[in-house]
Amino acid sequence: MDLEEVNTENNVSTLKQFVLLGFSDFPGLQAFFSGVFTIVYLIILIGNSLIITITRFDPALKKPMYFFLAHFSSMEICYVSVILPRVLFSIWTQDGTIFLLHCAIQMCFFLVLSTAESLLLAVMSYDRYVAICNPLHYSLLLNPKKCVQLVIGSWLSGMPIQIGQTCQIFALDFCSSHQIDHFFCDMPPILRLACGDTSLHELSVYVVVILAGGISFILIIVSYSKIISTILRLPKARGPSKAFSTCFSHLLVVVLFYGSATITYLRPKSLNSSTMERLLSLFYTVVTPMFNPLIYSLRNKEVIAALRKLFLRR
């Protein structure tokens, strides 16, 4: 491996490359992983692209709810494309080598997109809150200009802090080990390669995760508490079950995304395990994005109708 010695007395090296171990500890399953990840990636691309297409061209879906959903699908495609192509390349070539700069770029994009997703989920919960709890002011509070501002804010708000966090982590000195026991460049496995005491950096990771994800999660909880309270007060004639059905898809996505990510980043060190870490990371980076288009479409009659029109037209 190409290493440039900087301080031999302290056994500190400036690494030019890392090696992503990925799933190399399962040599007999490489073909299986290749097939599964290829199929999953295609499902994610096709499913989310279909949602973007129908929300763009179907007049019945020209509503703030579907405007946000289209951008959420766009984020999902970007989010997964930061990780899966690199995983597939490593499996196909049996070479997990990744330059330090490329590793930093992958981590930065992953963190920025994760933050953007959590913020957009909060925006989507606000959309449902206004639609159910304050329907008379819905078109005023969520006019086209406001919707665009909320989406741009979701995309951009996490950039400064996550770019700063990435620069902070990759400014560390790394010791002789250069093997990342993971399938992509994530913060916990990178920090484990750093020399010396990294407790301050680990604390900053926790703080950023809590700020970036916690604030969004609190906003979602507050929104849905008010939504549920309002729905329970609705007369049966107005169909509270229909209102619950409309919100269920979004809540399920929120639980899947926040649940797996929270366990990954905030679980105690005593429970750290590289295998468990990879499994949890797979869940929120690959499995959840694969199911999101199904969750949003199968429980939404307007989306199903738009898909039928799209395919019948073709």
Side-chain angles (χ1 to χ4, degrees):
M1 188 57 57
D2 187 9
L3 301 176
E4 179 185 348
E5 295 298 329
V6 175
N7 188 341
T8 54
E9 290 183 4
N10 296 322
N11 194 30
V12 176
S13 299
T14 299
L15 298 176
K16 293 181 180 179
Q17 298 179 110
F18 286 118
V19 175
L20 288 164
L21 296 181
F23 302 95
S24 58
D25 48 344
F26 302 101
L29 296 175
Q30 295 302 297
F32 171 77
F33 287 136
S34 175
V36 169
F37 288 140
T38 300
I39 292 169
V40 167
Y41 190 43
L42 289 174
I43 290 172
I44 292 169
L45 291 179
I46 294 169
N48 285 290
S49 296
L50 280 174
I51 288 180
I52 294 168
T53 301
I54 60 175
T55 53
R56 175 70 177 83
F57 294 107
D58 195 305
L61 303 183
K62 298 296 182 184
K63 302 174 183 177
M65 173 182 173
Y66 299 110
F67 176 76
F68 296 136
L69 180 56
H71 279 275
F72 185 75
S73 293
S74 300
M75 283 183 186
E76 291 282 59
I77 290 174
C78 297
Y79 179 72
V80 174
S81 296
V82 168
I83 297 169
L84 268 188
R86 174 69 225 191
V87 173
L88 288 169
F89 175 80
S90 297
I91 293 174
W92 292 338
T93 62
Q94 292 298 294
D95 181 11
T97 303
I98 183 170
F99 286 105
L100 185 140
L101 177 61
H102 296 169
C103 189
I105 291 171
Q106 184 186 53
M107 179 191 287
C108 186
F109 273 101
F110 169 72
L111 295 176
V112 167
L113 288 165
S114 299
T115 305
E117 278 206 17
S118 68
L119 292 171
L120 190 56
L121 284 171
V123 169
M124 292 167 77
S125 70
Y126 174 70
D127 166 73
R128 292 299 83 209
Y129 161 73
V130 177
I132 293 172
C133 301
N134 204 356
L136 297 179
H137 294 91
Y138 184 64
S139 58
L140 178 65
L141 293 173
L142 285 167
N143 57 63
K145 182 181 178 181
K146 180 65 70 176
C147 290
V148 170
Q149 289 173 343
L150 288 170
V151 165
I152 292 174
S154 298
W155 278 98
L156 300 181
S157 294
M159 285 188 179
I161 190 168
Q162 298 297 9
I163 291 173
Q165 179 119 63
T166 303
C167 292
Q168 182 187 40
I169 289 174
F170 280 88
L172 294 170
D173 290 318
F174 296 98
C175 297
S176 54
S177 176
H178 58 269
Q179 295 183 332
I180 303 172
D181 195 4
H182 212 326
F183 58 90
F184 74 101
C185 295
D186 200 4
M187 289 186 290
I190 294 290
L191 283 173
R192 284 198 289 270
L193 301 182
C195 302
D197 183 15
T198 60
S199 56
L200 190 60
H201 294 281
E202 290 172 10
L203 178 61
S204 73
V205 169
Y206 291 139
V207 170
V208 170
V209 169
I210 291 169
L211 286 176
I215 293 173
S216 299
F217 187 68
I218 290 170
L219 290 173
I220 292 168
I221 294 298
V222 170
S223 295
Y224 274 96
S225 297
K226 292 180 178 294
I227 287 170
I228 292 170
S229 176
T230 300
I231 290 173
L232 292 176
R233 293 199 303 268
L234 288 174
K236 289 185 178 179
R238 290 188 60 185
S241 60
K242 182 181 178 181
F244 270 123
S245 179
T246 304
C247 299
F248 178 79
S249 300
H250 183 245
L251 270 176
L252 184 56
V253 171
V254 168
V255 170
L256 289 173
F257 179 80
Y258 279 99
S260 54
T262 300
I263 294 171
T264 300
Y265 286 99
L266 301 182
R267 72 185 188 279
K269 271 190 174 182
S270 58
L271 299 178
N272 274 352
S273 159
S274 60
T275 303
M276 179 61 67
E277 189 172 67
R278 279 179 290 173
L279 286 174
L280 287 169
S281 297
L282 272 176
F283 196 79
Y284 71 83
T285 59
V286 178
V287 177
T288 302
M290 180 181 68
F291 283 116
N292 284 348
L294 294 173
I295 292 170
Y296 278 115
S297 60
L298 292 178
R299 295 191 59 86
N300 191 306
K301 292 180 180 178
E302 290 179 318
V303 171
I304 292 172
L307 288 170
R308 282 176 180 166
K309 282 193 287 183
L310 177 67
F311 288 116
L312 288 175
R313 187 183 305 152
R314 292 187 179 279

